Amino acid sequence: MVHHHHYHEYMQQKIRRNTSNQQQQNKRHKFFINDNIDILREILKRLDGPSLGVASCVCRLWCNLTNNDDSIWEHLCFRHVLTPPPATVRPVVVALGGYKRLYMVCVRPVLSRLSESERVMKRVWTRHEVQLSLSLFCIDSYERLAGGGGMIASDASPSSLMFLCNPINV
Amino acid sequence: MEIEIDSVSSPSKVKEIDGLLADVGYKVKSSELHQVAQNIERLENVIVNSSSSDISQFASDTIHYDPSDIGNWVDNLLSEFDHTNSLPYDFSQLSDLAQDQHQHHHHHHQNHQLKVVTTVEEDSAIKLIHMLMTCADSLQRGNIQLAGSLIEGMQGLLTNMNTNSGIGKVAGYFIDALNRRIFGQNNIIHIENDVLYHHYYEACPYLKFAHFTANQAILEAFNGHDCVHVIDFNLMHGLQWPALIQALALRPGGPPFLRLTGIGPPSHDDRDNLREIGLRLAELARSVNVRFAFRGVAAWRLEDVKPWMLQVSSKEAVAVNSIMQLHRLLGSEPDPNNPSAIETVLGWIRSLNPKIMTVVEQEANHNEDGFMDRFTEALHYYSTVFDSLEACPVEPDKAMAEIYLQREICNVVCCEGPARVERHEPLIKWRERLGKTGFRPLHLGSNAFKQASMLLTLFSAEGYCVEENQGSLTLGWHSRPLIAASAWQAVPETLRFDH
């Protein structure tokens, strides 16, 4: 009976040691970024455009997040603005198509065009540039409204911003 | 400052040299320097070989362009002296070509030491211009037979030239217009004008400049008003108004109640085009929470519109917006008993007491009575416009934009009397006219200028330039203004002294 008891204790000690080892192992792998979407979102918000594009290719979760979470793109659009835009801007941008579209269709081409025309890469947007981008975005949104009706020639995908996407050198 | 012209190889070095040149105030690219140096040599030879009388005339009469733009400056000097050797960059030299034919030969003899390297293309171009001028002149004199044979000759020349760009293309349109004037051809392209207008809007910055500048002025005029009413003299697809709606939505203090009255031609088919545009604009306004009301006024001509149709209320701030419409009113016959169309319309605009009237017009003089003058002006103007269109890479916008311009050209060249509606007049004449009918100019301000400049840096070509002209803004191509935007306010009756 004593052997059995010792054996029992021995097994219990062994199990305890194994579980504490595992717990130590768990402590090392405890933090998965994909389990902490809030932190992931905060990190993605601070990326620049190309990095965000790369990030969206990492895995399905990251892809969904970058495609569907417009607030990430909001930070991207206005990261270089000196003073943050007023609160009234958000509902307007959302109504006209969202921040991701604003970035892809207006902000990114405008930024790259403006930095090409100056020798130094611009870091800060002025109020005027923000307003101009918003106006162009609004025209684009309006032209997409027309897509359903037959007002323009049938081959008209909204092209008012096409001029932004073409190379400068003539 | 020493600059090595030949050994510039890497793009970074090119940029560095361009930067250095710009720093000392020269607008020239290092890639152009080789050509500029050659031209300076040629100019030196020309000056050495010319007689002293030529030089003194040259010094006193000629206008020199901005010398910091070395390339164009040297070319202009060269073409003043020697018409055979360089095809001018801009066609402001063209009238010299036509009128000074005998001087042309005179210079040629003097400069025989210079190697005359003109390609077949350049020769044909110069010949073509000369024939165009002669044809227009013979038309003015009534010599239809000569005009007709010249047209045949020009069409023959064109077959050997590149008609896809440059002088060949523009000349083609003008030859076609002259042909129509004489023989009245009827191969009209059946595309709706508003469709062409939309493509013209996409292809080049002129209409965008017009819209953005006018909107900025209207926005500033509407500051502090809660009920505002915009009257658009030519609604088309309503492309001007989304940006204004968005700007009003975001203005500090919140958006006003916006009424828009759009004037346009009646629709052909069963559709109501004006109403459809109004609905689209209303949907946009609703999505950004701007209270909006639209009214369409269908009229074939602006002079048929009566002020009561616009239903202006006294409580609202009114803005009248005319993008290239006022010149269409200048065609009526002066009648001492009845006021002319332009006077009538300007009169009822004043009676509405608008806070602002925004006027955008082509910066050209296409309303001269003499056909030759009109033709020459139009040739210069549209050559420059087509030049700027070359920079447009977006199809089918470019092709459609050219058709849009071709219609304008045909109207200027072929039509007379009330049928000729494209009666463009330059800003200086509009200032006079509006001043006499009780309007005073409003300065457009630095915001409008900054916005226009920024808009241009976004456009693909580098030849566009915005200039300020006594409070108005002009947009041009390579220092030739092509479109002018201005803002006006009605002078109160009590302050006006009638002549």
Side-chain angles (χ1 to χ4, degrees), chain A residues 86 88-92 95-96 109-111 113-114 116-117 119 126-132 134-136 138-139 141-143 145-146 149-153 155-156 158-164 166-170, chain B residues 15 18-19 22-23 194-195 198-199 201-202 208 212 216 237-239 242-243 246-247 249-250 271 273 276-277 280-281 283-284 287-288 390-391 393-394 396-397 400 446-447 450-451 454-455 457-462:
Chain A
T88 45
V89 170
R90 186 178 302 130
V92 170
L96 296 177
V110 166
L111 266 180
R113 192 60 74 79
L114 288 178
E116 271 179 62
S117 66
R119 294 195 298 277
T126 62
R127 175 174 55 94
H128 293 280
E129 286 156 358
V130 172
Q131 280 171 357
L132 185 62
L134 288 173
S135 295
L136 292 172
C138 191
I139 297 172
S141 174
Y142 175 72
E143 287 190 315
L145 273 179
M151 293 305 296
I152 322 173
D155 57 358
S159 57
S160 93
L161 299 186
M162 286 281 285
F163 73 94
L164 282 177
N166 287 299
I168 278 189
N169 293 320
V170 176
Chain B
K15 269 197 173 166
D18 285 345
D23 280 340
D194 57 347
V195 171
H198 194 124
H199 287 285
Y201 176 86
E202 310 290 16
K208 286 191 175 79
F212 274 83
Q216 184 66 33
H237 287 170
L239 285 167
Q246 173 259 314
L250 290 177
R271 298 157 62 168
N273 288 343
E276 281 184 35
I277 301 291
R280 266 168 59 190
L281 287 169
E283 192 182 325
L284 184 83
S287 73
V288 295
E390 289 299 306
V394 186
D397 294 322
M400 299 284 236
S446 58
N447 284 335
K450 276 188 209 148
Q451 185 180 244
M454 214 184 305
L455 193 63
T457 45
L458 299 180
F459 254 86
S460 49
E462 292 179 3

Side-chain angles (χ1 to χ4, degrees), chain A:
Chain A
M1 285 294 109
V2 174
H3 283 293
H4 193 67
H5 181 68
H6 279 310
Y7 178 76
H8 188 63
E9 256 192 300
Y10 166 74
M11 284 308 292
Q12 275 185 331
Q13 275 179 8
K14 195 171 175 190
I15 289 166
R16 251 182 262 129
R17 244 181 274 127
N18 283 344
T19 44
S20 70
N21 278 344
Q22 253 196 331
Q23 274 176 351
Q24 276 174 7
Q25 278 186 335
N26 282 345
K27 277 197 194 116
R28 278 195 286 266
H29 298 299
K30 195 175 178 182
F31 183 81
F32 275 105
I33 185 66
N34 283 4
D35 292 333
N36 296 277
I37 296 191
D38 301 331
I39 299 180
L40 178 58
R41 200 179 276 127
E42 288 301 314
I43 296 174
L44 290 176
K45 271 183 196 170
R46 285 155 173 80
L47 292 178
D48 61 7
S51 305
L52 202 52
V54 169
S56 70
C57 302
V58 165
C59 66
R60 222 169 273 149
L61 175 68
W62 287 36
C63 182
N64 281 333
L65 210 54
T66 50
N67 280 334
N68 300 328
D69 191 338
D70 220 28
S71 63
I72 295 175
W73 297 93
E74 178 178 356
H75 276 77
L76 185 57
C77 282
F78 295 127
R79 71 202 328 250
H80 293 307
V81 178
L82 203 53
T83 52
T88 45
V89 170
R90 186 178 302 130
V92 170
V93 174
V94 167
L96 296 177
Y99 281 99
K100 185 178 179 200
R101 190 177 169 86
L102 174 63
Y103 180 76
M104 298 300 281
V105 164
C106 284
V107 171
R108 187 176 62 155
V110 166
L111 266 180
S112 71
R113 192 60 74 79
L114 288 178
S115 67
E116 271 179 62
S117 66
E118 292 161 23
R119 294 195 298 277
V120 176
M121 177 75 175
K122 272 186 81 99
R123 277 289 152 222
V124 173
W125 273 51
T126 62
R127 175 174 55 94
H128 293 280
E129 286 156 358
V130 172
Q131 280 171 357
L132 185 62
S133 294
L134 288 173
S135 295
L136 292 172
F137 188 53
C138 191
I139 297 172
D140 167 74
S141 174
Y142 175 72
E143 287 190 315
R144 281 184 299 124
L145 273 179
M151 293 305 296
I152 322 173
S154 56
D155 57 358
S157 51
S159 57
S160 93
L161 299 186
M162 286 281 285
F163 73 94
L164 282 177
C165 302
N166 287 299
I168 278 189
N169 293 320
V170 176

Side-chain angles (χ1 to χ4, degrees), chain B residues 471-488:
Chain B
S472 308
L473 292 183
T474 60
L475 171 60
W477 176 257
H478 281 136
S479 78
R480 158 83 210 236
L482 293 171
I483 190 167
S486 55
W488 303 84

Side-chain angles (χ1 to χ4, degrees), chain B residues 314-361:
Chain B
S314 52
K315 283 177 286 195
E316 47 191 24
V318 176
V320 175
N321 183 71
S322 161
I323 309 284
M324 307 188 312
Q325 297 304 300
L326 288 185
H327 64 251
R328 306 171 82 90
L329 300 168
L330 298 175
S332 62
E333 304 292 315
D335 181 354
N337 294 328
N338 296 323
S340 61
I342 181 76
E343 282 169 8
T344 315
V345 172
L346 289 177
W348 62 248
I349 295 176
R350 282 194 78 242
S351 72
L352 298 175
N353 197 21
K355 281 238 72 177
I356 190 168
M357 174 172 73
T358 47
V359 174
V360 178
E361 286 287 329

